[in-house]
Amino acid sequence: MNVQMPVFQLWQRLARYFSSGQRTLMLAAYAMISFALVEFILFHRHLPPERFYPVVLLLSVLLALNAAWEGLQRRWGEAAANRFYFAASITLFLVVNYVGLDAGWTFLPFLLFVIASQAVVGLGVWRGLGISLLLYLGWSGVFWLRGAALEQLLAQTSSILLGLIFTLVFSIVLARLADQMARAERLAAELRAANAALAAAREREVTLAAAEERVQLAREIHDGLGHHLTALNVQLQAAARLLDREPERAAQALALCREEAQAALAEVRQSVALIRANPLAGQPLPDVIAGMVRDFDRVSPLQANFALEGEVGEVAPAVAMTLYRAAQEGLTNAQKHAQATTVTVRLSGDADGVRLEVINDGPPVPPVAETGFGLAGLRERAARLGGTLQAEPLLEGGFRLVMAVPRAGAEGGPHDPHSVGR
């Protein structure tokens, strides 16, 4: 019963098959069980039929059991299928070795390595080691029951133990590798999901940015072009009334209409091209608003006044533009809706911020519903800068628009190189 075999040859044979996980390990098991079956049929036909044929049958059953293991896992569940498989495999292995051990070399003891590797990879390291120890002790007991001498028992079990140790080390490495591969696959799946979510978020961000840009463009058109068109409409109405009675004044009104139309055309070109020039560039905010009020007074039937209180000083560009648009909106609304005779624009500054107030003396009006881009857009601009906007009718008549914003705002600081000074 010489079962010694070069351990490293067995190790090389196993290494060719054990490359990835339980499925590849099953292929190695098929190969080794088939080899044991063929080897036993070819070289042990001299055994009595009551020993030869049961071993052939039991090896065939062990081979079929390996083929059915994966299907049993799907049908019974992994835990139940594993218990049945290893109980049956261990029993078949011990019976085959008890019945089939013969004088001379035999491959049957090395089936222990197959079952031990499957246990480590399929059940985990510690359970696999427990089953491997049980297999080794069981095979040693079978070898002893067959009447082996003590010296022969020690020699054969030592050889099997050495091969088993190498097999278990390889199987543990294989199990760790399988775990790492499974973890890598999970991480890759999570990464793909994260990339998909990031791409979707980026697409939403692009969509929102485009929508915000369209809204911003609409505000610019409303605040800039709307102001000019309102003044143009007033002058055209005046020219129509004066055309027959006072041609000279009508001509003056038409000249103003031409100026307003040119300014409106410039606003449209700048807005559509998204390169709209800053009307405040290089100019102090009080001077720009005072000039706006003078132009409005010149082209509008309303009397427009400008008052400066305190020290405005340097303000962030976004703050200056927002106050400029607020003054435009207040003058335009006074002309379009208020039925007023005078309108006053008051600009004041202190250490905390800048305040703009536009008041007209029209008749009492109900509260204004912010349904367009005008007041609603101004309120959003002010909120974005950390400021406030109030737009309300006065009890004694008229309407008041008040905007107060920090001089640095939320988008820049007083020392911004592009800031607007007094």
Side-chain angles (χ1 to χ4, degrees):
M1 292 185 294
N2 182 18
V3 298
Q4 291 185 359
M5 178 180 181
V7 175
F8 289 100
Q9 292 181 6
L10 176 64
W11 174 253
Q12 292 174 354
R13 182 177 299 171
L14 292 174
R16 285 197 300 268
Y17 296 109
F18 294 174
S19 59
S20 62
Q22 181 175 321
R23 186 178 296 273
T24 303
L25 196 59
M26 292 302 300
L27 297 177
Y30 297 153
M32 294 190 70
I33 297 173
S34 299
F35 181 83
L37 180 60
V38 172
E39 186 272 336
F40 188 82
I41 293 174
L42 292 178
F43 300 105
H44 300 276
R45 296 185 63 87
H46 58 276
L47 290 176
E50 63 270 16
R51 292 180 58 190
F52 179 78
Y53 290 109
V55 171
V56 173
L57 177 62
L58 293 177
L59 287 176
S60 302
V61 172
L62 183 60
L63 185 63
L65 183 61
N66 274 266
W69 185 17
E70 189 174 352
L72 293 176
Q73 287 179 327
R74 291 194 298 267
R75 182 176 302 178
W76 295 352
E78 187 172 342
N82 287 344
R83 285 195 297 267
F84 172 78
Y85 173 80
F86 286 106
S89 296
I90 292 171
T91 302
L92 290 172
F93 168 76
L94 295 177
V95 172
V96 162
N97 275 269
Y98 182 79
V99 177
L101 285 180
D102 189 16
W105 184 86
T106 176
F107 193 77
L108 295 180
F110 295 99
L111 295 178
L112 181 152
F113 300 157
V114 174
I115 303 174
S117 297
Q118 290 175 336
V120 170
V121 175
L123 301 180
V125 173
W126 294 110
R127 290 185 179 181
L129 291 177
I131 289 181
S132 300
L133 179 60
L134 178 63
L135 277 168
Y136 175 72
L137 295 177
W139 181 84
S140 300
V142 167
F143 200 66
W144 177 72
L145 290 175
R146 290 304 308 272
L150 180 60
E151 294 78 5
Q152 189 180 20
L153 178 63
L154 292 176
Q156 303 302 332
T157 54
S158 298
S159 176
I160 293 296
L161 179 60
L162 183 60
L164 180 61
I165 290 174
F166 273 96
T167 301
L168 290 177
V169 171
F170 182 85
S171 300
I172 292 173
V173 173
L174 181 63
R176 298 303 187 197
L177 179 61
D179 290 341
Q180 291 177 0
M181 292 177 61
R183 188 179 300 110
E185 290 177 357
R186 289 195 300 269
L187 291 176
E190 293 175 0
L191 181 59
R192 288 192 296 270
N195 287 336
L198 182 61
R202 183 178 181 182
E203 185 176 353
R204 288 195 298 270
E205 182 180 354
V206 171
T207 303
L208 291 175
E212 184 176 355
E213 185 176 356
R214 288 193 295 269
V215 172
Q216 181 67 21
L217 182 60
R219 290 173 182 165
E220 292 295 329
I221 293 175
H222 175 276
D223 294 342
L225 181 61
H227 173 78
H228 294 296
L229 292 181
T230 299
L232 180 62
N233 181 58
V234 171
Q235 292 302 317
L236 287 174
Q237 291 177 356
R241 290 194 302 269
L242 298 173
L243 186 61
D244 295 331
R245 293 177 299 162
E246 301 181 60
E248 293 183 359
R249 292 184 59 188
Q252 294 176 356
L254 291 176
L256 294 174
C257 288
R258 184 168 54 253
E259 294 178 7
E260 290 294 334
Q262 290 174 348
L265 182 59
E267 289 274 358
V268 170
R269 288 172 177 170
Q270 291 163 350
S271 297
V272 172
L274 295 177
I275 55 171
R276 185 176 182 279
N278 187 349
L280 300 164
Q283 302 181 67
L285 177 63
D287 292 351
V288 175
I289 294 181
M292 181 201 305
V293 174
R294 285 194 302 271
D295 292 341
F296 182 85
D297 182 67
R298 184 165 57 91
V299 301
S300 172
L302 279 68
Q303 179 182 351
N305 305 300
F306 174 73
L308 177 62
E309 299 178 357
E311 181 71 21
V312 174
E314 279 190 345
V315 295
V319 172
M321 178 58 72
T322 300
L323 292 170
Y324 176 84
R325 292 306 187 192
Q328 273 191 327
E329 180 70 15
L331 291 173
T332 301
N333 287 344
Q335 185 166 282
K336 290 171 59 177
H337 307 299
Q339 301 178 5
T341 58
T342 63
V343 58
T344 300
V345 178
R346 184 177 293 109
L347 182 66
S348 60
D350 55 28
D352 295 329
V354 184
R355 174 187 173 95
L356 177 81
E357 188 174 11
V358 183
I359 302 177
N360 65 68
D361 63 351
V365 294
V368 177
E370 298 178 13
T371 57
F373 282 104
L375 295 179
L378 286 177
R379 194 177 302 281
E380 291 178 8
R381 288 174 182 256
R384 188 175 299 173
L385 295 172
T388 60
L389 175 75
Q390 293 179 337
E392 56 189 5
L394 303 174
L395 294 177
E396 63 274 15
F399 193 86
R400 178 176 62 185
L401 182 149
V402 181
M403 176 179 286
V405 291
R407 63 176 60 253
E411 301 180 5
H415 302 292
D416 192 305
H418 301 290
S419 296
V420 179
R422 183 175 184 274

